[in-house]
Every structure is written in C-alpha cells, then in structure tokens.
Amino acid sequence: MSLATADAARSVLVAARAARTAELDRWLGSLLTDGQVPEDVALVAVGSHARRELTPGGDLDLVLLHRGRADVAGIADRIWYPVWDSGLRLDHSVRTVHEARTVARGDMKAALGLLSARRIAGDRALADELRAAVLADWRADAPARLGELSSMCRERWDTQGELAFLLEPDLKEARGGLRDVHVMHAVAASWVASAPGGRVREAHDLLLDIRHALHDVTGRSTDRLVLQEQEAVARALGLLDADVLQRSIAEAARAITYAASHLWRRVDRFTTSRARRPAAPSASASPGADRRGVERRPVGDGAVEHEGEVVLARNADLNDPALVLRVAAAAAQAGLPLAPATVDRLAERAVLPRPPWSAGARDALVSLVGAGPAAIGVWEALDQAGLIVRLLPDWERVRNRPQRNPVHRFTVDRHLVEAAAGAAALTREVARPDLLLVGALLHDIGKGWPGDHSTTGAVVARDIGARLGFTEDDVRVLETLVRHHLLLPETATRRDIDDPVTVQTVTAAVSGVPGREREIIDLLAALAIADGNATGPAAWGAWKAGLVAELARRAAAALAGGTPPP
C-alpha cells in the first residue's frame, strides 16, 4: 500500500472524530438547554472529548457547573439519563467552581482533566472562570504538583513498560504513549516548559489514529494492541502489514519519550532551584560562569557542561568532521545528556566525516559506545536528530525494526546499542576493545536485509568497517564477528563440547584471518555475553554462560596446540 493510501485512511479517521465531537456537542447542548438556556449553568467536557480526540470506544467525561442553583439536580438528570440510555459510558460530576477547584487541588487526575476543560453549552463566563481558576492554582502549586506528577508517571512507566519496545503495547498508558503527551501539555500549562513541538504532535496524532482504528476493528474500548489485531489495524490504516505498523509505533513512541525526557529534566531543575535558590553571582564569579552564575565546565574537546547538559563550547569548530562524535562521546563519558538545542545545531550545521573516516572520528565513535549504559541516551539523541543514519546510512534498515518474538526486549537498532553498551564492561577481556564495541554495534545489522541475518550482516559489516577506516585485516575480523556471532552460544547449547569435532568446528570457523584466531575467539565470547544480556532474561543465564565460556576455553587451547587444563 502507498503512502497516499495511508494518508487517506488517516484523514478519514480524523474527519470521523471531528464529526462525532460536533454531533455530540450539539446533542448534549440540546439536553442542557431543553428549549431554553438556564442561567448560571454550563456543561463542560474534559479529557479526550474536550480535546476533540474521542475515539469510538472513548468515554464521555462531563462536568455540570453551576453557581449554587438549588434545582441543579434536575438539570443534571435531564442530561445524564439520555446519555446512559444511549449506551455511552459516562463519567460525570456536578460542581460549583469552588468545588471543582478544591477537587482539582487534591486529585491529580481531576486536575489534569480540568486543565483541558472545554465549554459545550451554557454560561460561557462560568466555564471561563473555572478554567482560569484551575490554571491559576496549577501554576501557583507547580513545584509540588509537578513533583507529584513526575512520580505518578514513573510508576506508570514501571507498570506499563516502554511503548516502542512492547509486542502488545498499551497505546495510551505505556511510556511514550498518548498519556505522556497529555502530561507534557499539563507541564506546559504551568509555564515551566514549552508545549510539545511539531514532531511530538505528529507522533501523538499517529498513535491516536492507531487507537481509533483499534477501536473500529475490535468494537471495544481497548488500548492494548494485541498481536492478533495488528494485521487488521494495519490494513485499516492503509499500511502494508503489522511490521510496518509496529515500526511506526516505535518511531512515534521514541520521539515522545525523547521529548518527555528533556521536559522532565527541566522540571527537575525547576523544582530543585525553587527548593534551593542560589544567591546572585558576585563580581568575583569564576570566568567559566555565565551571566546567571551557572558554571560551564569543560567535559571534552568542544564540549562543556551547562545546567546538567552538554552543550557546544564557544570555540567549537563545526567544520571539524569528528566534532559530532567527539561531543557525543564527551557527553556519554561524563554521564550527561546532550542538550536538544545542541543536537539540533549539530544536525543543521556540523560537517560529518566522509568515508574512510579519520582515526579521530573512529576513536570518538568507539569512545561513545564504550561509555556503557550512558551511551544509550546520547545515541538516542543523535538518532532523533537524524544524525545516526547520516553517519551510518545502513542503520536505516534496522532503525525501529520490530522483533516479533517475546525473547527480544527491544527493536533491532536499540538491541544493537544495548549490546554495545553492555560490551563496554567486557573490554578488559579482549585484545581489541574497539573491534568488540563496533562488532557488538553491528552484529545484527543484517536483520534489515532478506536472508540469514548473520550472512547478510557480514557483508554489511565489511562495508561499514571500510567506511569507518579500519585496516583490511580489522575489517575481516569485524566481518567474522558478525558472521559467527551466534557460533559459540549455538554450538555450546546444541552440541557435545566434549566431542573434539565440536571444538574443531569452532576453530575452523575463525580461521579466515590468519594469526588472529585466538583474538577472534575472545571477541566472540565477549560478544555472546553482550548479545545475550541485551536480548533479555530468556536468552542468557548462568547455564548458557558457563557452556559458552568452557567452549571458548577449549577452542583457545586447541588453537594453542594443546588441551585445556581441567
């Protein structure tokens, strides 16, 4: 199916939501007025109805506002009973502005709903008064409320997982889902951070369309996209298949997660600064401080730390082809995030290395992934800015690529980065740490091409190795690592390692680079550990690790011309 088909399918869903919202507004307004407009009463929508995002399975969430009218119960019955009779699910309340304001200050869910309140019918001034009062309270209480909201989000993420990497995700509640965008708007309403940008809005709209299609396909108000529904949902959206659907979800969710991470860092700085306001800078402030007295601490060549993020130094040379990787490596090695504005500037203006890369650019890449887990967030920042696919064009094939089995925790590209980050802890076990790190980063690169991913991946790794400027022998080692990255775990768990033929099979496989066979065995053993741990608990454990280590030991002894000691 073409992109035009998908766009047309999504346009139909957008129009359907708009039409349904307009129809509901007219009907609910007629129930309130009943031929006459009552004074001092307003019907207000909150939640998805207020945002005009009501999908077929969505609930109505309504508030009937009044100014202390004694007959408000009768007016409420005039609205609630027809809604119930229609079969729509309804969450309702009857409040004065003071009551609604009190509830919002004590109930986070109510506060978030009322922040998006929209008048449907009735007294406009009353509805405006409610919204202004709730916003004023939200902004006045921001230090405490945003800390509470942050804790709620983290608890939800722990429960629901990360949308981009789930086989059967909850489109609304998982990390990177619709709920996170609503929360971002709430934080923006406090004036602590800016409203979500265009990429986040596009990601939100895509997830909303997927949720809409899911409700249409299932006829239920579910937000969990289970495997058996994914093909039908993909067709409803004009997409080729479930893989394309999951890849689209992963891309959208990662854009939201990345933006939300930056937003919560701003919130943390805000709440911390409110709790501990620094004194104004004196005339004797250090030269590295800016006009607000904030230190700019050097963390690498061309990079400085500023307010907990890494930014470009004033003398950074944007024409230096290694600058992007060097600044990224400095951030990862310091355990700090890259400032989004810095990433954007690098993407727009910095010169990138041309193949074959210089030793400086290659060393910076190795330093980046060699930082361990801290490299993952920095890599994600570069990826969100489109820099990774410009540095490594073959990365596009595995970017956001789903792995539709319960063994793998991540998409292919994220698995590769996780494996490389895990390999950083094993660099002391091998003679060539740089080849281990790059091999881990590329070991599943063949999953973007048809056929056996180890075979196709070896060809791609050979091309990338040459692009990175490795020597011909090193390129052949990388090619061997990728081609045989499953050799040790598969052989150790499927064959008898006491059989001499088993060891001969392993030593024969690594004989393609004369003189470096032992080095390759050590690299494969370390790569097996990094790959298994990055895959998930079901892929690696003590039993498997023991077998792989013993097979590697016996192969190394055979290459040395002897037998392994007991």
Side-chain angles (χ1 to χ4, degrees):
M1 297 185 184
S2 67
L3 183 61
T5 302
D7 288 343
R10 290 186 59 193
S11 296
V12 169
L13 298 180
V14 173
R17 289 195 297 274
R20 186 174 183 223
T21 298
E23 181 181 351
L24 281 171
D25 285 356
R26 284 192 297 270
W27 178 53
L28 292 169
S30 69
L31 295 177
L32 173 67
T33 57
D34 194 24
Q36 58 180 351
V37 180
E39 296 180 356
D40 298 334
V41 175
L43 183 62
V44 171
V46 298
S48 58
H49 185 194
R51 295 187 297 269
R52 295 182 171 86
E53 297 173 358
L54 198 60
T55 53
D59 302 342
L60 288 183
D61 199 343
L62 302 173
V63 179
L64 183 63
L65 286 175
H66 67 103
R67 296 188 189 275
R69 288 184 58 135
D71 62 343
V72 72
I75 299 173
D77 289 345
R78 209 163 66 208
I79 302 169
W80 308 153
Y81 278 101
V83 173
W84 287 325
D85 290 342
S86 72
L88 292 171
R89 294 190 303 175
L90 173 65
D91 189 354
H92 62 91
S93 59
V94 179
R95 312 272 190 214
T96 63
V97 170
H98 175 73
E99 290 168 345
R101 189 175 182 179
T102 301
V103 169
R105 298 191 82 163
D107 185 324
M108 180 62 73
K109 182 180 177 181
L112 295 176
L114 288 171
L115 284 172
S116 60
R118 179 176 63 83
R119 170 189 167 276
I120 294 176
D123 190 332
R124 186 178 300 275
L126 183 58
D128 291 345
E129 181 183 339
L130 169 70
R131 182 168 175 78
V134 170
L135 276 171
D137 291 341
W138 180 253
R139 289 163 183 159
D141 299 338
R145 300 310 298 273
L146 294 182
E148 178 188 353
L149 184 57
S150 174
S151 297
M152 287 179 60
C153 287
R154 285 169 170 78
E155 290 175 7
R156 173 168 53 82
W157 298 339
D158 289 342
T159 302
Q160 297 293 340
E162 193 158 353
L163 175 58
F165 309 124
L166 293 171
L167 272 179
E168 297 186 330
D170 187 309
L171 298 168
K172 187 175 182 181
E173 302 295 345
R175 185 178 188 185
L178 294 167
R179 180 75 71 192
D180 279 339
V181 182
H182 303 157
V183 167
M184 292 168 73
H185 282 289
V187 174
S190 70
W191 293 340
V192 170
S194 301
R199 293 189 68 241
V200 171
R201 292 195 299 271
E202 289 175 7
H204 168 273
D205 292 346
L206 173 63
L207 294 180
L208 182 61
D209 289 342
I210 295 171
R211 183 181 186 233
H212 189 144
L214 176 62
H215 289 181
D216 277 341
V217 165
T218 62
R220 303 189 308 273
S221 58
T222 178
D223 294 323
R224 189 167 298 281
L225 182 60
V226 297
L227 285 171
Q228 58 264 35
E229 310 291 358
Q230 290 176 10
E231 287 290 347
V233 171
R235 287 195 299 271
L237 290 165
L239 301 177
L240 180 62
D241 56 25
D243 277 358
V244 176
L245 172 65
Q246 282 210 321
R247 198 166 187 171
S248 299
I249 291 172
E251 182 163 9
R254 289 168 82 168
I256 292 169
T257 299
Y258 172 69
S261 297
H262 173 62
L263 175 137
W264 287 117
R265 288 198 299 272
R266 288 184 63 93
V267 170
D268 290 343
R269 288 201 299 269
F270 167 75
T271 54
T272 301
S273 66
R274 297 282 292 188
R276 187 181 66 251
R277 287 179 179 269
S282 66
S284 60
S286 65
D290 65 14
R291 285 176 295 179
R292 292 173 293 172
V294 180
E295 287 289 335
R296 293 171 60 91
R297 178 176 65 90
V299 293
D301 185 7
V304 296
E305 177 190 353
H306 177 71
E307 294 188 334
E309 296 177 330
V310 170
V311 302
L312 289 177
R314 292 188 178 92
N315 62 348
D317 181 7
L318 290 167
N319 292 315
D320 178 358
L323 179 68
V324 170
L325 290 163
R326 199 167 56 244
V327 171
Q333 291 289 340
L336 296 169
L338 280 171
T342 294
V343 179
D344 291 342
R345 187 180 179 201
L346 290 171
E348 291 170 5
R349 299 185 54 191
V351 173
L352 299 182
R354 294 182 178 180
W357 287 15
S358 67
R362 186 172 62 254
D363 290 345
L365 174 65
V366 171
S367 178
L368 167 58
V369 295
I376 297 170
V378 175
W379 187 278
E380 191 73 12
L382 299 181
D383 179 77
Q384 288 296 314
L387 282 165
I388 296 299
V389 294
R390 290 170 58 193
L391 289 164
L392 303 172
D394 292 308
W395 196 261
E396 179 63 38
R397 288 287 196 117
V398 295
R399 186 172 181 268
N400 293 314
R401 191 174 190 87
Q403 306 201 73
R404 296 173 65 81
N405 64 72
V407 175
H408 281 274
R409 293 181 294 176
F410 301 110
T411 54
V412 176
D413 61 328
R414 179 60 176 268
H415 168 73
L416 293 175
V417 179
E418 293 275 347
L426 304 167
T427 52
R428 294 180 182 274
E429 310 297 323
V430 298
R432 288 292 300 273
D434 56 338
L435 294 180
L436 171 62
L437 293 168
V438 175
L441 188 66
L442 301 178
H443 74 276
D444 274 349
I445 196 74
K447 288 186 175 179
W449 280 259
D452 177 76
H453 77 280
S454 297
T455 303
T456 56
V459 176
V460 179
R462 183 178 63 211
D463 293 341
I464 294 178
R467 179 185 185 88
L468 298 181
F470 282 105
T471 65
E472 184 178 344
D473 260 13
D474 287 347
V475 169
R476 291 168 66 192
V477 171
L478 279 174
E479 182 181 359
T480 303
L481 289 181
V482 174
R483 185 182 301 278
H484 295 299
H485 69 274
L486 296 175
L487 174 67
L488 293 180
E490 288 190 346
T491 304
T493 56
R494 297 178 183 180
R495 299 182 64 172
D496 180 8
I497 62 175
D498 290 325
D499 185 348
V501 175
T502 300
V503 175
Q504 291 171 11
T505 301
V506 173
T507 56
V510 301
S511 62
V513 190
R516 302 184 69 172
E517 296 88 348
R518 172 60 192 273
E519 175 188 328
I520 292 172
I521 288 291
D522 291 341
L523 288 168
L524 286 174
L527 177 54
I529 297 171
D531 183 18
N533 285 326
T535 300
W540 195 253
W543 171 77
K544 195 171 188 178
L547 289 176
V548 167
E550 178 61 17
L551 178 58
R553 187 174 76 94
R554 295 188 182 204
L559 289 169
T563 57

